[in-house]
Amino acid sequence: MFVLIAALLSASESYRKDRNKAGLILLHGLGISLGPNEICQSFARSSMMGLGLSEDTLVRCPKAKRRPVGVLPPTFVPGLQFARSWFNFNLMPALSVVSPVPGEDKQELMAALQVVEEEIEDLMRLGVPSENIVVGGLSQGGALTLWTAIHTRYKLGGFIPIVTWGAGCMHFYVSQRPCL
C-alpha cells in the first residue's frame, strides 16, 4: 500500500513539474474578445496562425468585462454604451504616452493585472511551470501585457505585446523603474 501511495505522489509531483507543459495567455483589444477558450485554442493551434503549438501548450483567452470607456464617445444606441475593456482610459494611446496627465486608471490596471495573474495561477495549478507561460496581447491587451511584464509577481517565460502602448508610462513609475 505504501509503495502505491508513494508512486502516485511521485507521478503527481512529476506532472506538476513537467517542463514540457506550456501556457499561452492571449489578451484581446478594446471591444472584442477572442471568443470562448475552445475557439481561441483552435484558432491559436490552426495552420492559419502558424504558431506551431504543441498539444502540451494550454491556451487561455480571458474576456474583459463590458463597461463604459472614457475614450469612446457616449451613444444612445442600445448595447453600444459598453465595450469589453481591461481598464478605463480617457486618452487615445498616442496622446496618453506624452500627456502631462495620466490617460489610464491605475487602480483598473492593477485590477486587470489580477485577472491575468489568476490565469497564470490556474495554468500553474495544471502543472505549467511559470517560466513556460507567455502573455501576449493586441492593442489594449498589449498594454496590459506590458503592464503585466513590469508588475507581475511571477517569473514568466515571455511577453508578446502587439500594436500597443505603455499604459501609464509617463506617470506611474519612479525614476528607477523601466518605462517601455
Side-chain angles (χ1 to χ4, degrees):
M1 181 70 166
F2 178 77
V3 174
L4 178 60
I5 293 171
L8 288 173
L9 288 174
S10 175
S12 68
E13 184 69 18
S14 66
Y15 177 76
R16 275 186 252 129
K17 293 183 178 176
D18 186 351
R19 295 291 167 203
N20 291 324
K21 286 186 144 311
L24 175 62
I25 301 171
L26 296 173
L27 305 172
H28 63 77
L30 177 66
I32 58 163
S33 75
L34 299 172
N37 268 335
E38 298 77 24
I39 294 172
C40 179
Q41 288 172 5
S42 297
F43 184 65
R45 291 186 196 289
S46 75
S47 59
M48 184 172 75
M49 282 288 284
L51 295 179
L53 301 178
S54 76
E55 289 300 315
D56 291 327
T57 303
L58 304 175
V59 180
R60 295 290 188 265
C61 303
K63 294 180 199 170
K65 293 180 182 175
R66 292 184 187 276
R67 62 167 85 211
V69 180
V71 76
L72 298 176
T75 178
F76 297 107
V77 179
L80 292 182
Q81 302 93 324
F82 304 100
R84 291 199 182 279
S85 180
W86 296 108
F87 53 88
N88 191 20
F89 59 110
N90 295 306
L91 296 173
M92 291 301 285
L95 294 174
S96 176
V97 295
V98 296
S99 171
V101 296
E104 301 85 13
D105 184 301
K106 186 175 183 180
Q107 276 93 11
E108 290 193 18
L109 281 161
M110 294 307 288
L113 172 65
Q114 182 61 40
V115 171
V116 176
E117 288 190 336
E118 287 170 6
E119 293 290 338
I120 293 166
E121 291 161 3
D122 184 51
L123 289 169
M124 290 169 56
R125 273 190 295 278
L126 293 171
V128 179
S130 67
E131 297 87 3
N132 290 2
I133 297 173
V134 173
V135 178
L138 307 154
S139 190
Q140 189 191 37
L144 180 54
T145 297
L146 291 173
W147 187 266
T148 301
I150 295 169
H151 295 281
T152 188
R153 63 181 176 259
Y154 297 105
K155 180 180 178 186
L156 300 179
F159 303 92
I160 307 171
I162 302 169
V163 188
T164 193
W165 77 101
C169 189
M170 300 293 290
H171 305 284
F172 303 141
Y173 304 106
V174 295
S175 61
Q176 299 91 340
R177 299 290 302 269
C179 187
L180 302 175

